[in-house]
Amino acid sequence: MRVKSETKRQTILDIATRAFIEQGFNNMSMSEIASRVGGSKSMLYNYFSSKEDIFSAVMASSAKTDIAEAFESLDPKKDIETTLNQFGRNYLSSVLSRGLMAIWRMAISESERSDIGRLFYAEGPQKGWKRLSHYLSKKKRRRHSVLLRQLGMRDAFERAD
């Protein structure tokens, strides 16, 4: 048995991403993905248990790479207006891209037949909104801290936190 490699796994994901975008989830098969990768179905099964498993990994990878820049721009030390404007531009640019829109559509259409929709939400929007919520909470705490310091009440705030 061959050793699994992260490079090979990423190659499979890159090819599967393009295949899903071009053909759609329902029109893609493990055989077709294996053919495009230049391997066998058994090679695919060494990395992924099913087409749904590959698609879940594609969704997670896309969310991680394509939308990461938007969430990395959420710096609680920077001005909130500038930060949220930059975040909004980056986020919309990412989620409205051809590739992510195609993945989103597939996840929604497949959600009636499988857990793909739930997995898509868990790997993408849910994680993203938690990060945004965390950023806003930090900004709120920082703002309260500044106000309390200005009022000479910083120690009371820190004890309450």
Side-chain angles (χ1 to χ4, degrees):
M1 183 168 136
R2 289 194 147 162
V3 177
K4 292 182 188 180
S5 78
E6 187 55 35
T7 303
K8 184 65 168 182
R9 183 181 188 281
Q10 191 56 53
T11 299
I12 293 168
L13 288 178
D14 292 344
I15 291 170
T17 299
R18 286 191 300 275
F20 284 127
I21 290 170
E22 291 168 8
Q23 301 290 321
F25 179 83
N26 289 327
N27 297 326
M28 191 51 50
S29 67
M30 292 293 272
S31 296
E32 176 64 22
I33 294 169
S35 173
R36 289 179 182 219
V37 169
S40 65
K41 283 190 346 183
S42 63
M43 178 271 305
L44 282 182
Y45 285 113
N46 282 329
Y47 290 88
F48 302 97
S49 63
S50 65
K51 181 173 79 167
E52 289 79 6
D53 191 26
I54 295 175
F55 189 67
S56 293
V58 163
M59 288 186 302
S61 176
S62 295
K64 184 178 180 182
T65 58
D66 296 341
I67 302 177
E69 182 183 336
F71 288 98
E72 288 169 5
S73 69
L74 294 174
D75 184 350
K77 295 175 184 168
K78 292 183 179 177
D79 170 63
I80 191 168
E81 182 178 357
T82 303
T83 299
L84 289 177
N85 278 320
Q86 183 66 42
F87 167 77
R89 282 191 296 277
N90 290 342
Y91 182 79
L92 287 174
S93 174
S94 297
V95 299
L96 296 176
S97 70
R98 179 181 176 265
L100 275 181
M101 288 295 290
I103 290 169
W104 186 16
R105 284 186 204 106
M106 283 182 272
I108 291 169
S109 71
E110 184 59 26
S111 66
E112 293 179 11
R113 293 178 287 282
S114 70
D115 284 342
I116 293 292
R118 185 185 56 76
L119 293 170
F120 173 78
Y121 179 75
E123 288 299 324
Q126 185 176 40
K127 284 183 178 180
W129 296 126
K130 282 182 181 180
R131 286 181 72 180
L132 181 59
S133 176
H134 180 72
Y135 164 78
L136 292 171
S137 292
K138 275 187 169 181
K139 288 301 284 187
K140 183 178 175 183
R141 283 195 305 274
R142 188 177 297 262
R143 179 71 180 137
H144 282 132
S145 178
V146 168
L147 289 173
L148 290 171
R149 189 177 321 117
Q150 289 171 347
L151 294 171
M153 301 171 64
R154 169 90 179 166
D155 292 338
F157 176 73
E158 289 175 347
R159 282 192 301 269
D161 216 15

